[in-house]
Each structure stands twice: as structure tokens, then as C-alpha cells.
Amino acid sequence: MTDKALPTIQELMAKPSTDIVDSLKGIYEHSAWVAESLVKNDISSIQSITELATAMQQIVDDSSEEQKLALLQAHPDLGAKVAHLQTLTKESQQEQSSAGLHTMNGKEVETFHSQNNQYKDKFQFPFILAVRNASKHTVLSALKGRLPNSYQHEFVAAISQVHKIAWMRLLQIVDTTNSPGFLTCHVLDTANGCPAANMKITLTKLSEPNAGVIIGEFVTNSDGRLEGGPALKGPTFQVGIYEWTFYAGDYFASKGAYTSGQPFLDVIPIRFGIDNPDDHYHVPLLVSPWSFSTYRGS
Amino acid sequence: MTDKALPTIQELMAKPSTDIVDSLKGIYEHSAWVAESLVKNDISSIQSITELATAMQQIVDDSSEEQKLALLQAHPDLGAKVAHLQTLTKESQQEQSSAGLHTMNGKEVETFHSQNNQYKDKFQFPFILAVRNASKHTVLSALKGRLPNSYQHEFVAAISQVHKIAWMRLLQIVDTTNSPGFLTCHVLDTANGCPAANMKITLTKLSEPNAGVIIGEFVTNSDGRLEGGPALKGPTFQVGIYEWTFYAGDYFASKGAYTSGQPFLDVIPIRFGIDNPDDHYHVPLLVSPWSFSTYRGS
Amino acid sequence: MTDKALPTIQELMAKPSTDIVDSLKGIYEHSAWVAESLVKNDISSIQSITELATAMQQIVDDSSEEQKLALLQAHPDLGAKVAHLQTLTKESQQEQSSAGLHTMNGKEVETFHSQNNQYKDKFQFPFILAVRNASKHTVLSALKGRLPNSYQHEFVAAISQVHKIAWMRLLQIVDTTNSPGFLTCHVLDTANGCPAANMKITLTKLSEPNAGVIIGEFVTNSDGRLEGGPALKGPTFQVGIYEWTFYAGDYFASKGAYTSGQPFLDVIPIRFGIDNPDDHYHVPLLVSPWSFSTYRGS
Amino acid sequence: MTDKALPTIQELMAKPSTDIVDSLKGIYEHSAWVAESLVKNDISSIQSITELATAMQQIVDDSSEEQKLALLQAHPDLGAKVAHLQTLTKESQQEQSSAGLHTMNGKEVETFHSQNNQYKDKFQFPFILAVRNASKHTVLSALKGRLPNSYQHEFVAAISQVHKIAWMRLLQIVDTTNSPGFLTCHVLDTANGCPAANMKITLTKLSEPNAGVIIGEFVTNSDGRLEGGPALKGPTFQVGIYEWTFYAGDYFASKGAYTSGQPFLDVIPIRFGIDNPDDHYHVPLLVSPWSFSTYRGS
């Protein structure tokens, strides 16, 4: 994400059209026409990766049904990958399948091919699943879940997966280090109807780089918010997986609240993903000694 | 907890009164009178550790204000422990303070002693905090939080801490292996208003023994519950810290729900404590792709 | 709903095919072919209105894109209705528009026609909105919200609205008095981590017939549930709008919980709709003195 | 609350000490010493009713156990009121008991007197319940619930009730029209992980004056908040009972979200009390088509 060689969105958009097309031609699978259409428009207003993704998505959405179908059909068949994995040695399997697709047993492989073939017969385009490192469990249940859809419903679902893949690819080629997104928190004590003041919180990065590293330590202020503003912003606010750790047991103990010997809630982890470097992520905790909730806030 | 040498509650209650007193005399700090009062009553109806704890608690609650005050005053002064820790070598500090009280810096030690002395002056009994392995953060904020209480309020709070210590001690001396408690789960999809079927869940033990071991793997049935009944019951249902891991991202992917590239919610840990081997713990998950909550259910 | 003249689902399915077609030909707008296809299948397994709706829905979903488009195009143009309303006297307006569409002012009418025309031009089928008594606010924002959709996305959305209209029409022609659905409740005290026992609850019907009538009075048992089983079942369980009234303030007062003079939460109404006479509706309350939540449970 | 004759807190605090004592002597039942102690302190920093209440509360909390007991014992016996009500005509009963205490039947009256007598015998002070218009259900269950408490626990609970009565009385004698409190709202769509924009909301006053009057109509902005700032502030922000009405069904319909024919959630009322004219009340809605929650935010 912070690779010096990547252009910022402003740098990318300032390039000659042919260079832009060259950079973006692979965002939609084997469909350089999306990038080519893009540069024919006025792109001077595109100042963020979100705006770029939206513009390309709009081109796809506005294209004809035939073009969309061709786009779907340009995607590889997951069945070929699964079949290929079966022919490899254990070592090669692991190299080529971080998601563990190679761990499908015989019956699972059989089910997969059967349903994958039914899918292709029914819809005339390959099964597309935009889940990074999808496990065999995900693949098998997604395939089973989507097979009964009507043609039109599944067509829309597949295009939506394609847009998601495009977004993940865009994130790989643009330097988003200085994007405007940021992460905030707020803790409310729902047992006492007040902000949870003086609660210790840590923030751990779970995805690479720096997986497992505690990247922030905080104590809530009298309004239950982090002293000093956002937990992450600018270069520290990166797409990835994070985990808040809330020391709620300590907080309730210090309030003199009754909690059991082994408290029902003590150290509370909240794991969440950041997907868009342009957005404000507000990830609060509403907590009593016996219940809690969180949500994507704004 | 599963030490063969420990008696079950039935075995304990069947012993001669003097043996029972001997076993229970230390449950309330230096206050054998609680156990002695207990055996003067008809204790034949006590069939569970919960009932035993309740009976002893009732004796304390029904005792005179003088007796309760004596009970509070029988507790050691945390100030002496902190002062003692300061005199030790680093190695001895660690041995005697798993909670890290010895990591208080000079200013914190000073604050602690000042407030602890104020506490003793104001209330005429020592500061009692029934938090296993209380961190310096907990100790300092609990002390600061409770110091302004009125005498009567703090008296009640302190007795409540004493009951909690008694409960934790009871759990150490009774074999609760075959207690009737059990653990169940339920997952509801609040985005679609239906049970979350076919979601993978694992259960990990976080406290010793077997800390870090995955002790259960489940897939939800059509009603969003665990196939095959309780996740834990009988000998596997033990006091301790546990963590559900819900594969919610997989579930929503298989439903064809829109989720972002790096989903906001994917793998969801829910950490919780089990404190009472007699109770039913229902720990459900209410989840959408953008929010979740849990609670101690029944 | 309880009109004696309506057949039960069993009675309807036992009729001659021509009678069934006659009954069901209007379920999908001007599209008798759905009912005609239905009776060509083996319909002996259809034992509930849910199964009948699902079977008809499947026929539509499995039909060709041309058939679906024709179905969409068979729906009336809302624009014509709005235009017609404008020509009427105030009295006639009210008679023909319970939803207040006639209250659109000049600018709103203009916006509506402009967007409705854009919609028809873009999608080549009329704007379909399956909301009973849709207000002008709903119509205007739904139209505005759906106009930017891609053709395929809106096609799927429109078919989904058509299925919903079909369901509402089915409910008008089948006697569902003895359907198996039922309504249950559960109250959990999230401040104390226990069932809320001894809380008074009433249930009021809000839709006709019997709008405004209290149809149930309950006190929760020790597990926080309604003594005596479901609040509604059999003939009393009808499609419509309902409201629980939870006397949460009384409950917390009786627990000795601190609540403010004018409690933040006291009498808590939870309004909800029942749409399917075959389903179990579990509508619980999770409540502390300062927060509450509910959900469609199972 | 807006009676012109009432002094503001600044006007009250600026009066001569004897006048202040005269105004406040009845705030704590037959205990003018609280007000007398107050004016002996420096009260120049008291600028709000909250600060005044806190200062008086502190005086009580710091007083001796004997003084507190005398304060408790200065309260009237609810038993006498119940007994008196029984002697009245139906008409007089209604006049003297807006809460319906006179509707207790014979068995309830008997239970009440029996438990009320046990209470007085056990605690040596009368049963105090600071619930405005407490129903017989509340009185009976609070009495039953608190009777088993230990002496010290109930002493603290009773003092807490006395503080609450004091607060309610203070609100009757101070003009809080221009207090700094205000009411805000926020609606989050937990099915889609975004602010719920363009949702219609109304605010209705439920308590007198103006009970039943819609006092605000709003549409949420793109951040899910009320355009134009607080819903209530200054003179319109008054202690009382209020109800938001959220048109959530309209919102989800306009998003094209699937909702059932009779939506599970459509018009959502959230009823809440405002107790402190100095506070910020943030009363948000987290909502999907199948679940919602609210809480006292900040």
C-alpha cells in the first residue's frame, strides 16, 4: 500500500491517456475497453480512488447487456483451478492455494464440479467470487447458495462481484498513503447511560504489514472518546484488518459495578476491516457488563 | 477445577459438621463464624455450589453491622502488598505479582498510597478489590472511583466484593465437573431477518487449562443454532474464559450479500467468561455485514 | 382475513384446475399464465400459502426474460394515476388516494412526472412500488433512489416488487385463520445479565380490524417469557400491525435500579408487522434503563 | 416548568441566604438542615440546577448515619396513604390517587400492608419509592423486591430514592427555560453500513403541557442527522416524555431494500424521557429492516 513506486491518484490522473489506460486496463478482467472509455470522458474531477472506482463502475453499469456478459465470460473458470490443484504435489498445492482449496476431499471436489458445471450451464458465465483467500467452505456454500438464483438476479450478483474485484485491484496500483480517511472510536456504558470514561483501549493490526503489532494505546476521555483525535489517519490509516481491545472489565470494576468472579465480559476484542482509504470509519462500543454491540458508524 | 481430590458439593455436604467447617472456614477471610453458622442450620437442601454460596452469603447479609465491619477489617491492606513489592528484586516482584502491580512507577506508587490512606481513614476498613490479577490500571481507577462514595455506599460495595472473593474461593475447593450448567449459541442475520444457517463457528478455550485450544467446531443449522445441542456441558463446561469465532464473512459471501473487498466484519471473535458451573450460558450473535451484538442470554 | 367465504389453502388446492386458475389468475397482474403453469405441475404438496406463493414465484423466476418483461409491462403506470388525481375535486382525491398522493404540490408533481418519464424511457417498463398506501414521500424517494440503477439491477428490483404484490394479493383470497404461525416474546435485562422477570407487557392491535384494541396482557415469568405460551396463535395470529408495550420503568424501579426522575426509558412501545401467517414471529426486548433493542427472532 | 414566577438558578442563588433556605428547605423531606448547610458553604460557583442538586446531595452523603436515618424516617408511611384511600368514596380515591393505588383489590391491600409492616420492622424507616405516579404493580413489586435486601444495602437504596425525590422537587421550583441542554438524533442503516439519509422523522411531546402535539418534523441529511441542528434546545428543551417517530419503512422502500408486504418494521416509535435540562440527550436509531436499537448517547 505504501510502495514508493505507486502513483498517487493525482499522479495517475495527470498522466497521458495511454499511460492511464495501460495502468487500468487490467482492473476489469480482459476488458481494457473500460479504461479506454474512461479516458474519453473528462476525468479532471477524479481526485480520489473512490471517484475513480465509481467512474469505471458507471461505465460498466451503463454498458450493454452483451458487453456485461462478455465481461463476465472473460473471467476464468474456478473449476479449472480446482481441477489443476488436484494434479499437483502437496507442496505445489500449498503454493498455489493459500486459501486451502486443495484441502477439499474427494466428495467435496465432486460436489464442487457438479455444481460448478450446473452453474455454467444455467448462466452461461463462470462462477465469480470476490473473496480474498476464499476457503473451501465459502466457495462451496456460495456456489450452493447462488445456484438457485434467477438468471437476472445472478447476473446482477456476478457484476457486483466483478466491481468488488476491480476495487481490490485498484487498491493494489494506487498509493493511498495520504488519503483522507480516518478511524475513530466511542465507548458508551449502556448500564449507566453515560460515556465510558477512563477505559483503556488498544488497537492491533491483524493483517500484513505489521500483523500482530499493537499500533495504538488509548484511554477514553470524559466523553468516552479517544483523547487526541482519530486513532488512525494519513499514512497510518491503511486498508487492512484491525482489532480494538477494550478493557471493559477494568472499567466496570473501577465503577464499582457488580461483575461476576470471572466476569462475563472483561477484555473485549472487536475485529473489523478497513476497505476504503477515503472514508471515515467510526467503530464504537456500546457496553454493559452483560452485553455489547458495535457497528460501522459515521 | 477437575482435581480428583476435590469433593463434589454432595460429598462435601455429607461430611460431618466439623469437616465442613474446616473446609469452609477460609471462604470468608479470617471469619470461620460464617461456616460455623452455616452448619447450625439445616443444610440438607444444599445441592449445588450456587446454593452453598447463597446460604453463606445470607448469613453474612443477616449478620450485624459490627460483624460485617469486622469481616471487612479482617482483609489485608493492599497498601502493604504494594509497599512490600517495592522492596523486592525484579525477579521476586514478578513471582509475587502476576498482575503487574510492581510495574507502578514512582508517581503511581505515591498516588496509590495517598489514596489508599485516605480510603482507610475515611472508611476504617481496607480497600478490597475482587478482581483476579487486577492490573495497576484497575487498582488505581477503582480506588479513585470508590473513594468519593458515602460510607454506607462503600460499605455495601465492599461487602459485595467480599462475597465475590468467597465465590471464587468456593470454586477452588469443590469439584464442579458434573454441574448442570451448559453453553449454547444462536446466530441471527439482522440484515435479512432470519436465522444464519450454515455458518461455521469455533470455540476456543482462553484460560488454563488448555488455553489456546480449539475445543469445538460447529456449523449452524437452519434455525441458526448448533447442531447436536450445547457446545459445552458436563465435564467440558468449566469456569474460565472462552471465545467464539464466527465466520460471518463467509456466511454473507455465501448469501451473495454485498460486502466490501476487505469486509467490515469477517471473522468475529466474541470473548466471554463462564463463572457459574450451575448456569445456562446462552451467548448469541446478532449480525449484519455492518453491525453485531451479543449478550448473556438464558 | 377471517372472511368465512374465503377458502383455506387446502380447500383451494382441492378445487378443479380451472377453478384454481380462476382464483389465482389475477395474483400476477394480467398474467394468468402463471396460474395456468402452476396447475400443470403436481400441486398436491402445497399445504400452505407460503408454499403456494413460492411455487408461483418459482414459475415467474424460471420464465424467460421476455415473459418477465411482459409481466412488468403489464403493470399500470403510476404517472397516469397521479395525473388523474390532479383532475379531481378535493373530495374525489381523498376517496381515491388514501396515501395522500394527491397532496403533492405543483413542484412535486412536476418532479414526479419528470422522473417517472425518465424511468420509463430508461427501463421500458413502468415504475412498480409494492408499498401499501405509499406516501408521496415514499414514492418520490423510491423513484429518485431507483432511477440511477443499471437496467439489470432495476429489472431484478422490479420483479421483486411484483412478487411482493402477488403475496399481498394471495393473503386477500385465502383464509389463513388456522395457519400455524405464532407470536412469542422474551425480555432480557442487559444491565443485570438476567431474564427480566415480572415485567408487565400488553399487546395492542394497530391495524384493522380491532385497531387500537389491547388484545393481550402479560407478566413475564422467571425466564423473562410470557406465561402460558405464545401471545398469539391460531385465529388470533393475523397479518397486521401490532405493538408491544413494555413497562420497563416499573420493572427497573422494582429492582431498585437507579433511574432518573423522569426515567429515560419507562413505557417502551415496540411496533412491528406480521406478514406471514405461517411463520413463528419472535419479537424480544433487550433492555437496560438506558438502551434497548429488538429484532425479528426465530 | 416555564412559569414566569419561578426564579432561574442564577436568580435563586443571588438571593439572601435566608430566602435560599426558605426556597430549598422542603427539597429534602422535613430536613431544612440540608439547605441550611448549603448556604454556609461558598455557593457562588453554583450556576446550574445540576450543580445545586449535586451540592445538596453531597451534604446529605457527608452527613452522619444518624442524620441520614432521621432523613429517611422523616418520610411519610405509604401504608397510611393506602389505608386512607380505602376509607374514601370512589370519587375521592381518584382525586387522591392518580396512580391507581386505590385499585388494589382486597388481597393486594393485605399483601401490601403485610410487606410494608415487615419492611418497617426490618429497616426501621418507611418504604420510599421515587416513582411519579407509581402504579400498584410498581409499588407491590418494588416492595417485594427490596424487602430481602440487607440493612445496609436498603439504606443506600432508600437514600438514593430520597435524592431522586429531591431532584424532582428542585425541578418544580427553578425556571429551567434557558438551560443549556439539547436533543439530537442520528439514524444509521445497519443493513447497509451507512447513514440513513432522507428519512422522515417526527417528534411528539407526550407529557403535559402540549401532550400529543407533534413539535418537530425532520428529514435526515446525508450523514443521517437532523438538518439544522438540535431538535430541541433552549425554551423548547423541557423535562418530560417525548417520542420520535421514524419512517423507516419508507426509507427502506426508497432504497429498494426487500421488505415484506406488511413490513416487520415500518413506522418506529422511540419513547424516551428527558430529566435534566442541563444535559445533551443524543437519542439515535440503529436500524435494519429487521432490527433496531437505541440508547442514551452523548
Side-chain angles (χ1 to χ4, degrees):
Chain A
M1 240 65 67
T2 58
D3 188 331
K4 290 288 181 209
L6 295 181
T8 64
I9 189 73
Q10 288 80 9
E11 288 165 353
L12 176 62
M13 290 294 102
K15 288 186 180 175
S17 290
T18 50
D19 289 11
I20 295 179
V21 169
D22 210 52
S23 292
L24 300 179
K25 69 185 175 198
I27 297 299
Y28 283 88
E29 187 86 5
H30 297 306
S31 301
W33 61 269
V34 183
E36 287 158 4
S37 294
L38 178 78
V39 297
K40 285 183 197 139
N41 300 333
D42 175 10
I43 56 173
S44 62
S45 67
I46 295 178
Q47 297 290 320
S48 71
I49 191 171
T50 304
E51 288 164 352
L52 175 56
T54 302
M56 296 185 77
Q57 193 166 323
Q58 195 62 50
I59 288 163
V60 171
D61 286 352
D62 289 347
S63 71
S64 71
E65 185 147 354
E66 288 68 34
Q67 281 175 296
K68 289 179 198 169
L69 182 58
L71 171 55
L72 294 179
Q73 289 173 339
H75 283 75
D77 179 4
L78 196 54
K81 183 174 181 188
V82 169
H84 173 65
L85 279 172
Q86 299 302 115
T87 68
L88 300 179
T89 61
K90 279 231 171 304
E91 291 70 22
S92 303
Q93 281 180 345
Q94 281 182 313
E95 284 163 26
Q96 298 199 15
S97 166
S98 59
L101 284 186
H102 65 283
T103 64
M104 281 190 195
N105 62 31
K107 192 161 183 312
E108 288 166 337
V109 169
E110 199 179 312
T111 301
F112 169 78
H113 282 304
S114 162
Q115 296 190 335
N116 191 49
N117 287 336
Q118 285 176 59
Y119 184 98
K120 286 185 294 183
D121 283 353
K122 177 171 181 182
F123 300 119
Q124 298 294 312
F125 50 80
F127 176 66
I128 303 169
L129 186 63
V131 175
R132 215 187 298 272
N133 301 330
S135 69
K136 70 177 185 184
H137 181 80
T138 309
V139 169
L140 288 169
S141 44
L143 184 49
K144 187 180 169 195
R146 286 163 51 183
L147 193 49
N149 281 348
S150 74
Y151 176 81
Q152 293 81 9
H153 184 159
E154 183 57 20
F155 189 95
V156 170
I159 290 288
S160 159
Q161 299 289 318
V162 168
H163 286 322
K164 197 162 132 183
I165 292 170
W167 172 256
M168 294 192 285
R169 288 178 179 171
L170 270 183
L171 286 173
Q172 298 303 317
I173 65 161
V174 175
D175 176 359
T176 59
T177 308
N178 288 304
S179 293
F182 58 103
L183 171 66
T184 55
C185 193
H186 192 194
V187 190
L188 278 163
D189 173 346
T190 56
N192 297 296
C194 61
N198 205 26
M199 186 188 289
K200 185 181 155 190
I201 305 173
T202 60
L203 179 64
T204 305
K205 186 94 185 292
L206 293 190
S207 55
E208 294 296 348
N210 298 323
V213 175
I214 293 179
I215 56 174
E217 270 201 69
F218 313 93
V219 175
T220 53
N221 63 17
S222 64
D223 192 34
R225 299 179 196 270
L226 307 185
E227 213 46 272
L232 299 177
K233 63 178 172 181
T236 63
F237 183 79
Q238 297 171 13
V239 169
I241 308 174
Y242 296 83
E243 190 166 290
W244 293 123
T245 303
F246 295 94
Y247 289 83
D250 279 8
Y251 166 78
F252 285 114
S254 73
K255 293 275 282 192
Y258 172 74
T259 55
S260 48
Q262 180 66 65
F264 180 64
L265 299 177
D266 184 7
V267 174
I268 299 180
I270 297 279
R271 195 174 297 177
F272 60 96
I274 291 178
D275 184 52
N276 190 330
D278 291 334
D279 277 4
H280 173 199
Y281 281 69
H282 182 64
V283 186
L285 181 72
L286 309 178
V287 63
S288 86
W290 308 95
S291 68
F292 70 90
S293 61
T294 191
Y295 54 90
R296 169 80 200 271
S298 72
Chain B
M1 238 67 66
T2 58
D3 188 331
K4 291 289 180 206
L6 294 181
T8 64
I9 189 74
Q10 288 79 10
E11 287 165 353
L12 177 62
M13 290 294 101
K15 287 187 181 176
S17 289
T18 50
D19 289 11
I20 295 179
V21 169
D22 209 51
S23 292
L24 300 180
K25 69 184 174 199
I27 295 300
Y28 282 88
E29 188 84 7
H30 297 306
S31 301
W33 61 268
V34 183
E36 287 158 4
S37 294
L38 178 79
V39 296
K40 284 183 197 140
N41 300 332
D42 174 11
I43 57 173
S44 63
S45 68
I46 295 178
Q47 297 290 321
S48 70
I49 190 171
T50 304
E51 287 164 353
L52 175 56
T54 303
M56 296 184 77
Q57 192 166 325
Q58 195 62 50
I59 288 164
V60 171
D61 285 350
D62 290 348
S63 72
S64 71
E65 185 146 354
E66 288 69 32
Q67 280 175 297
K68 289 178 198 172
L69 182 58
L71 170 56
L72 294 179
Q73 290 173 338
H75 283 75
D77 178 3
L78 195 55
K81 183 174 180 188
V82 170
H84 172 66
L85 279 171
Q86 299 302 115
T87 68
L88 299 181
T89 61
K90 278 232 172 305
E91 291 70 24
S92 303
Q93 280 181 346
Q94 282 182 313
E95 284 164 24
Q96 298 200 15
S97 166
S98 58
L101 283 186
H102 65 282
T103 65
M104 281 190 196
N105 62 32
K107 192 160 183 312
E108 288 167 337
V109 169
E110 200 179 313
T111 301
F112 170 78
H113 282 304
S114 161
Q115 297 189 335
N116 190 48
N117 287 336
Q118 286 176 58
Y119 185 99
K120 286 185 293 183
D121 284 352
K122 179 171 180 181
F123 300 119
Q124 298 293 312
F125 49 81
F127 176 66
I128 303 170
L129 186 62
V131 175
R132 215 188 299 271
N133 301 329
S135 68
K136 71 177 186 184
H137 182 80
T138 309
V139 169
L140 288 169
S141 45
L143 184 50
K144 187 179 168 195
R146 285 162 52 183
L147 192 49
N149 281 346
S150 73
Y151 176 81
Q152 293 81 12
H153 185 158
E154 184 57 21
F155 189 94
V156 171
I159 290 288
S160 159
Q161 298 289 319
V162 167
H163 286 322
K164 197 161 131 185
I165 293 170
W167 172 256
M168 295 191 284
R169 289 177 179 172
L170 270 183
L171 285 174
Q172 299 303 318
I173 64 161
V174 175
D175 176 359
T176 58
T177 308
N178 287 305
S179 293
F182 59 103
L183 171 67
T184 55
C185 192
H186 192 195
V187 190
L188 278 163
D189 174 345
T190 56
N192 297 295
C194 61
N198 205 27
M199 186 188 289
K200 185 181 155 190
I201 306 173
T202 60
L203 179 64
T204 305
K205 185 94 186 291
L206 292 191
S207 56
E208 295 297 348
N210 298 323
V213 175
I214 293 179
I215 56 174
E217 270 201 69
F218 313 93
V219 175
T220 53
N221 63 17
S222 63
D223 193 35
R225 301 180 194 270
L226 307 185
E227 213 47 271
L232 299 177
K233 63 179 172 180
T236 64
F237 183 80
Q238 297 171 14
V239 169
I241 307 174
Y242 296 83
E243 190 166 292
W244 293 123
T245 304
F246 295 93
Y247 289 83
D250 279 8
Y251 165 78
F252 284 113
S254 73
K255 293 275 282 188
Y258 171 74
T259 54
S260 48
Q262 180 66 65
F264 180 64
L265 299 177
D266 184 7
V267 173
I268 300 179
I270 297 279
R271 195 173 297 177
F272 61 95
I274 292 178
D275 184 52
N276 189 329
D278 291 334
D279 276 5
H280 173 198
Y281 281 69
H282 183 63
V283 187
L285 180 72
L286 309 179
V287 65
S288 86
W290 308 95
S291 67
F292 69 89
S293 60
T294 191
Y295 53 89
R296 168 83 199 270
S298 71
Chain C
M1 237 67 67
T2 56
D3 188 331
K4 291 287 181 209
L6 295 180
T8 65
I9 189 73
Q10 288 80 9
E11 288 165 355
L12 177 62
M13 291 293 103
K15 289 186 179 174
S17 289
T18 50
D19 289 11
I20 295 179
V21 169
D22 209 52
S23 292
L24 300 179
K25 69 184 175 199
I27 297 299
Y28 282 88
E29 187 85 6
H30 296 307
S31 301
W33 60 269
V34 183
E36 287 158 5
S37 294
L38 178 79
V39 296
K40 285 184 196 138
N41 301 332
D42 175 11
I43 57 173
S44 62
S45 67
I46 294 177
Q47 297 290 321
S48 70
I49 191 171
T50 304
E51 287 164 353
L52 175 56
T54 303
M56 296 185 78
Q57 192 166 325
Q58 196 63 50
I59 288 164
V60 171
D61 285 351
D62 290 347
S63 71
S64 70
E65 185 147 354
E66 288 68 32
Q67 280 176 295
K68 289 178 197 169
L69 183 57
L71 171 56
L72 294 178
Q73 289 172 338
H75 283 74
D77 178 4
L78 195 54
K81 182 174 182 188
V82 170
H84 172 66
L85 279 171
Q86 299 302 115
T87 68
L88 300 180
T89 60
K90 279 231 172 305
E91 291 69 24
S92 302
Q93 282 180 343
Q94 280 182 313
E95 282 163 27
Q96 298 200 15
S97 166
S98 57
L101 284 186
H102 65 284
T103 65
M104 283 190 195
N105 62 32
K107 194 162 182 311
E108 288 167 337
V109 169
E110 200 179 314
T111 301
F112 169 77
H113 283 304
S114 162
Q115 296 190 335
N116 190 49
N117 288 336
Q118 285 176 59
Y119 185 99
K120 287 184 292 183
D121 283 353
K122 178 170 180 182
F123 300 120
Q124 299 293 312
F125 49 80
F127 176 66
I128 303 170
L129 186 62
V131 175
R132 214 187 298 271
N133 301 331
S135 68
K136 69 177 186 183
H137 182 80
T138 309
V139 169
L140 288 169
S141 46
L143 184 51
K144 187 180 170 195
R146 285 163 53 183
L147 192 50
N149 281 348
S150 74
Y151 176 81
Q152 293 81 11
H153 185 158
E154 183 56 21
F155 189 95
V156 170
I159 290 288
S160 158
Q161 298 290 318
V162 167
H163 286 322
K164 197 162 129 183
I165 293 171
W167 172 257
M168 294 192 286
R169 288 178 178 171
L170 270 182
L171 286 173
Q172 299 304 318
I173 65 161
V174 175
D175 175 0
T176 58
T177 307
N178 288 304
S179 294
F182 58 103
L183 171 67
T184 56
C185 192
H186 192 194
V187 190
L188 278 163
D189 173 346
T190 57
N192 298 296
C194 61
N198 205 26
M199 187 188 290
K200 184 181 156 191
I201 305 172
T202 60
L203 179 63
T204 306
K205 185 95 185 294
L206 293 190
S207 55
E208 295 296 347
N210 297 323
V213 175
I214 294 180
I215 56 174
E217 269 202 69
F218 313 92
V219 175
T220 53
N221 64 17
S222 64
D223 193 34
R225 298 180 196 270
L226 307 185
E227 214 47 272
L232 298 177
K233 63 178 172 181
T236 64
F237 183 78
Q238 297 171 14
V239 168
I241 308 174
Y242 295 84
E243 191 166 290
W244 293 123
T245 303
F246 295 94
Y247 289 82
D250 279 7
Y251 166 79
F252 284 113
S254 73
K255 293 275 281 191
Y258 172 74
T259 55
S260 47
Q262 179 65 64
F264 180 63
L265 299 178
D266 184 7
V267 174
I268 299 180
I270 297 279
R271 195 174 299 178
F272 61 97
I274 292 178
D275 184 51
N276 189 329
D278 290 335
D279 277 5
H280 173 197
Y281 281 70
H282 182 64
V283 186
L285 181 73
L286 309 178
V287 64
S288 86
W290 307 94
S291 67
F292 70 89
S293 60
T294 191
Y295 53 90
R296 168 80 200 269
S298 72
Chain D
M1 238 67 67
T2 56
D3 188 331
K4 291 288 180 206
L6 295 180
T8 65
I9 189 73
Q10 288 80 10
E11 288 165 353
L12 177 62
M13 289 295 102
K15 288 186 180 177
S17 289
T18 49
D19 288 12
I20 295 180
V21 169
D22 208 52
S23 291
L24 300 179
K25 68 185 175 199
I27 296 300
Y28 283 88
E29 188 84 6
H30 296 305
S31 301
W33 60 268
V34 183
E36 287 157 5
S37 294
L38 178 79
V39 296
K40 285 183 196 140
N41 300 331
D42 174 11
I43 57 173
S44 63
S45 68
I46 294 178
Q47 296 291 321
S48 70
I49 190 171
T50 304
E51 287 163 353
L52 175 56
T54 303
M56 296 184 78
Q57 192 166 324
Q58 197 61 51
I59 288 164
V60 171
D61 285 351
D62 290 347
S63 71
S64 70
E65 186 147 353
E66 288 68 32
Q67 280 176 295
K68 289 178 198 171
L69 182 57
L71 171 56
L72 294 178
Q73 290 172 338
H75 283 74
D77 178 4
L78 196 53
K81 184 175 180 187
V82 170
H84 172 66
L85 279 172
Q86 299 302 114
T87 69
L88 300 181
T89 60
K90 279 233 173 301
E91 291 69 25
S92 301
Q93 281 180 344
Q94 281 181 313
E95 282 164 27
Q96 297 201 16
S97 165
S98 58
L101 284 186
H102 65 282
T103 65
M104 283 189 194
N105 62 31
K107 192 160 183 311
E108 288 167 337
V109 169
E110 200 179 315
T111 301
F112 169 78
H113 282 303
S114 161
Q115 296 190 334
N116 190 49
N117 288 336
Q118 286 176 57
Y119 185 98
K120 287 185 292 182
D121 284 352
K122 178 171 180 181
F123 300 119
Q124 299 294 312
F125 50 80
F127 176 65
I128 303 169
L129 186 62
V131 175
R132 214 188 299 272
N133 301 330
S135 68
K136 71 177 186 184
H137 182 80
T138 308
V139 169
L140 288 169
S141 45
L143 184 50
K144 187 180 169 195
R146 286 163 52 183
L147 192 50
N149 281 347
S150 74
Y151 176 80
Q152 293 81 11
H153 185 157
E154 183 56 21
F155 188 94
V156 171
I159 290 288
S160 159
Q161 298 290 319
V162 168
H163 286 323
K164 198 162 130 185
I165 292 170
W167 171 256
M168 294 191 286
R169 288 178 179 172
L170 270 182
L171 286 173
Q172 299 303 318
I173 64 161
V174 175
D175 175 359
T176 58
T177 308
N178 288 303
S179 293
F182 58 103
L183 170 67
T184 56
C185 191
H186 192 195
V187 190
L188 279 162
D189 173 345
T190 57
N192 297 295
C194 62
N198 206 26
M199 186 188 289
K200 185 181 155 192
I201 305 173
T202 60
L203 178 63
T204 305
K205 186 95 186 293
L206 293 191
S207 55
E208 294 297 347
N210 297 323
V213 175
I214 293 179
I215 56 174
E217 270 202 69
F218 313 93
V219 175
T220 53
N221 64 16
S222 64
D223 193 34
R225 300 180 195 269
L226 307 186
E227 213 48 270
L232 298 178
K233 63 179 172 180
T236 64
F237 183 79
Q238 298 172 12
V239 168
I241 308 174
Y242 295 84
E243 190 166 290
W244 294 123
T245 303
F246 296 94
Y247 289 83
D250 278 8
Y251 166 78
F252 285 113
S254 73
K255 294 274 281 189
Y258 171 74
T259 54
S260 47
Q262 180 65 65
F264 180 64
L265 299 177
D266 184 6
V267 173
I268 299 180
I270 298 279
R271 195 174 298 178
F272 61 96
I274 292 179
D275 185 51
N276 189 329
D278 290 334
D279 277 5
H280 173 198
Y281 281 69
H282 182 63
V283 186
L285 180 72
L286 310 178
V287 65
S288 85
W290 308 94
S291 67
F292 70 89
S293 60
T294 192
Y295 52 89
R296 167 81 199 268
S298 71

